[in-house]
Amino acid sequence: MPTYHEVISTGPPILGPGRHAGIRLAWAAGSVLLLTACGVSADGNEARALTGDDIRAVLPDREALPGWQEFGEPLVLEDRAQYKHRACPTEGFRGCEGSRSFGLAQFRSGDDRKTLVGYRITAYRDEQTAATAYDVLWKGHYRRAGGPDARKLDVGKPGDERNARLGTAGSGGPGALVQVRVGTALVVVDVSGIRGGDLGASLVKDLTGVISERAQQALNGEDPAGRLDE
């Protein structure tokens, strides 16, 4: 059964939830317009595959997550042999078929440094391939995240498909795992806290919305600008 450390696979032990009261999303007002049907781009054509440069722009930075601290440098890879064990933690790396590039970024919450969020994004050649990979990865791995007592988590309606679980992280504290498909891209968001702490569903929803919107903006040919507002 996968732990949240296995989901992230890099970085230090998770420390725990931080103060996030009052965080809201600056992108919320326009999100309905941006989350278009089934990965269709702004000009009505089928969504294109994201490049490595696109993924680098989609991954949140300090400007996108004000008050959060980057943990290490963002990672972007375009060689499947280098990223498949991170992007597709399934037997035989199933779910990586048709993938083109991969990105990873991690952040700690502000001054308290008690919440860790990990972002993963994998680009696929087309929407059908991404949709197939979504099912394979969820059924083959991520649906077991958080342990046997994990429950479904409502994160709204980011992207074209989404699933989320709230349970226990590898550190013994609370953890949430979200998988989202945005057109030709799959996004995994992992949020973890300290043992005995709490992890608000609203924070997980907001952190998921940031990267989902940034991915949609890139697919629409726009500069990714989704962010959290303090």
Side-chain angles (χ1 to χ4, degrees):
M1 183 169 297
T3 67
Y4 282 85
H5 287 292
E6 290 173 334
V7 171
I8 289 185
S9 79
T10 60
I14 294 164
L15 295 181
R19 298 184 300 272
H20 54 264
I23 294 179
R24 62 184 178 82
L25 284 172
W27 53 266
S31 62
V32 174
L33 295 176
L34 288 167
L35 297 178
T36 53
C38 199
V40 176
S41 63
D43 59 9
N45 295 321
E46 183 174 328
R48 63 186 178 83
L50 296 179
T51 65
D53 287 340
D54 290 328
I55 285 182
R56 188 171 286 104
V58 168
L59 287 171
D61 53 17
R62 290 184 179 180
E63 184 176 345
L65 298 181
W68 290 69
Q69 301 175 356
E70 289 177 302
F71 186 82
E73 293 293 325
L75 175 69
V76 177
L77 299 171
E78 295 183 272
D79 182 345
R80 190 185 306 172
Q82 295 180 0
Y83 67 70
K84 63 183 182 180
H85 65 289
R86 300 174 186 238
C88 304
T90 52
E91 184 177 355
F93 308 113
R94 293 177 59 246
C96 268
E97 299 86 351
S99 60
R100 298 294 180 82
S101 51
F102 168 81
L104 168 69
Q106 295 183 98
F107 293 81
R108 286 192 188 279
S109 58
D111 295 337
D112 53 38
R113 299 171 60 85
K114 292 180 179 179
T115 303
L116 179 67
V117 57
Y119 288 110
R120 295 181 178 206
I121 179 169
T122 307
Y124 290 82
R125 65 190 178 204
D126 54 44
E127 292 178 74
Q128 183 56 57
T129 303
T132 298
Y134 181 97
D135 290 338
V136 168
L137 290 170
W138 184 257
K139 294 176 181 178
H141 184 74
Y142 291 122
R143 69 175 179 177
R144 299 188 295 274
D149 296 326
R151 60 179 176 83
K152 291 183 179 180
L153 180 65
D154 182 4
V155 292
K157 295 185 178 180
D160 305 300
E161 299 181 80
R162 79 291 303 170
N163 278 287
R165 287 170 61 85
L166 178 63
T168 303
S171 62
L177 188 286
V178 187
Q179 178 179 276
V180 180
R181 181 177 69 83
V182 185
T184 58
L186 293 191
V187 173
V188 174
V189 183
D190 187 289
V191 190
S192 301
I194 61 170
R195 185 183 300 273
D198 187 24
L199 187 62
S202 62
L203 175 63
V204 178
K205 180 178 180 180
D206 287 354
L207 291 171
T208 299
V210 168
I211 192 168
S212 299
E213 184 181 5
R214 292 174 71 88
Q216 186 65 62
Q217 289 171 325
L219 290 169
N220 288 349
E222 305 169 10
D223 291 332
R227 69 187 299 272
L228 284 173
D229 195 13
E230 295 179 298

